Amino acid sequence: MITRQEQPYVTASVLTSKRGILPAHGIRQLVEVGAVIAAAPLDVDQIQPASLDLRLGQVAYRVRASFLPGPEATVADRLRELALHTMPLDGGAVLETGCVYIVPLLESLALPPGIHGLANPKSSTGRIDVFTRVIADYAREFDKIAADYAGPLYAEISPRTFPVLVRTGSRLPQIRFRSGPPAWSDAATMLLNEQERLVSAERVDIDNGIALSVDLVGAGDDAPVGFRAKRHSALIDVDKKAALDIADYWDPLPRRGSLILDPNEFYILASKEAVKVPPTHAAEMVPFNPLVGEFRVHYAGFFDPGFGHAAGHGEGSRAVLEVRSHEVPFILEDGQIVGRLIYEPLTEPPEQVYGQGIGSHYQSQGLKLSKHFRAG
């Protein structure tokens, strides 16, 4: 357990006066000064252009229900009350659908004042319908780590459609670090769009972020406009790339003008607009307003600097949408707004951007399943 007294002094190079998201070299500085503590040496590709992948630790706790510890308790306190059994992860373990697991992560934090953490599932995690959130001690919210926090991190994991095989070191969530309060506004986004043309739409809708709509028509050929997950499929090893046949796990959706979302089904769709994220910014898809549709879009909402941008050898990339209806069937129409992108500046230009020789899986993507599936 890290205490505030044990937190190392953090240099001024990390405590930047600029507001925004820390780029990769800022994250490396956090590691070097002990603000990010790793129980095992970091993987060579663990630090992304503006985020840090988080790794599963040694054990998983099956719990009765999802929970937040609240301001008076640690996660370990609640696990003593709620854990049903413990599973070692060293040799791999299967996490079953419909169950909730808590896994201590190999990374912990001793954040300096002014540096906040923002977590999200990795894109490949969301695209296989594994609901993942990060929890800190004394937290009242998922996925948000307060400035000045010193303590462990945990992942709450709940596979919804496919059972998954995980092990110590598997990387399901990721975290960004923000200096200061949020540094975005619609006015700044409008100016950035004039400079960069952030989305391919003829008319850009900017109102608490840039609107993205769903594509249910496609390019007019025989290619599917989406995929619906098959129920009762085999498990997915989260660490194996291009290992699975698409037909064993997904039914393709033909082009159409609308789609009825069944509450029991999970869908992969794509945005109508191609998206660009300049190297100076990172983007996040914010939760959709439930007043205009009973569905959830995009579990994994981070877009790294350079996504879809020429600087990262991209020419615009569609946003892949992980879609699930809530309690009732819902008709989704082609062109319907399904989410909004928030563009936030980086504190400094990154050394590398998404797609720039760093093994980025989803640059210049159209409709694309997770990296676990063989193309075509």
Side-chain angles (χ1 to χ4, degrees), residues 171-222:
R171 290 145 57 173
L172 299 186
Q174 58 187 351
I175 189 169
R176 283 185 177 173
F177 298 96
R178 176 193 285 140
S179 174
W184 69 272
S185 68
D186 281 344
T189 302
M190 289 178 186
L191 178 60
L192 185 65
N193 183 63
E194 291 175 3
Q195 299 168 344
E196 293 280 356
R197 197 176 180 220
L198 301 175
V199 295
S200 60
E202 292 184 9
R203 178 184 174 274
V204 179
D205 179 347
I206 300 177
D207 183 6
N208 289 315
I210 294 183
L212 292 183
S213 62
V214 64
D215 184 6
L216 295 177
V217 174
D221 53 18
D222 293 331

Side-chain angles (χ1 to χ4, degrees), residues 95-107:
L95 307 186
E96 301 287 353
T97 58
C99 299
V100 181
Y101 303 87
I102 303 296
V103 180
L105 298 174
L106 292 180
E107 289 74 34

Side-chain angles (χ1 to χ4, degrees), residues 80-139:
R80 283 189 282 271
E81 305 168 15
L82 298 172
L84 298 175
H85 67 267
T86 304
M87 303 163 50
L89 297 184
D90 284 346
V94 175
L95 307 186
E96 301 287 353
T97 58
C99 299
V100 181
Y101 303 87
I102 303 296
V103 180
L105 298 174
L106 292 180
E107 289 74 34
S108 56
L109 300 177
L111 292 179
I115 303 294
H116 307 254
L118 309 160
N120 231 320
K122 288 172 57 67
S123 293
S124 297
T125 306
R127 293 188 199 193
I128 55 173
D129 202 19
V130 178
F131 192 60
T132 304
R133 301 186 284 193
V134 170
I135 317 175
D137 288 342
Y138 312 109

